[in-house]
Amino acid sequence: MKNAPLNSFDWMVVEPSLSEQFVLERSIREIEDCDNIDVLSQLCVAMAKAQWHQARLLKQAVGHIALLDAVLSGGEQKP
């Protein structure tokens, strides 16, 4: 991204590799083929916890990036 403009959000585009797509598809098929309600319930609980954690981490990271951007651009942090 040598010549990308400073305000470009291209870095946020997710383009999985072919290998990553295959791994995801295999996981999806395993879930779809599962008939055990207990296993599916445990999976849903684990996914809900992981999603919460990832959302919290992403929120913190975006806040940190915004603060760094403000410092680098000479702006001041608002309380």
Side-chain angles (χ1 to χ4, degrees), residues 42-54:
Q42 291 172 3
L43 178 61
C44 286
V45 168
M47 290 177 75
K49 288 179 179 180
Q51 188 278 331
W52 180 90
H53 182 265
Q54 290 171 356

Side-chain angles (χ1 to χ4, degrees), residues 64-76:
H64 187 72
I65 291 167
L67 177 60
L68 290 174
D69 187 48
V71 169
L72 291 174
S73 66
E76 293 187 20

Side-chain angles (χ1 to χ4, degrees), residues 11-59:
W11 61 271
M12 293 179 65
V13 176
V14 177
E15 296 181 13
S17 69
L18 190 57
S19 174
E20 290 170 326
Q21 291 176 36
F22 285 140
V23 169
L24 176 59
E25 184 61 29
R26 184 175 47 211
S27 295
I28 290 169
R29 288 181 186 200
E30 286 177 11
I31 293 167
E32 290 176 336
D33 292 341
C34 183
D35 293 327
N36 187 327
I37 193 73
D38 292 329
V39 169
L40 291 174
S41 177
Q42 291 172 3
L43 178 61
C44 286
V45 168
M47 290 177 75
K49 288 179 179 180
Q51 188 278 331
W52 180 90
H53 182 265
Q54 290 171 356
R56 181 70 185 251
L57 181 62
L58 183 58
K59 181 180 177 182

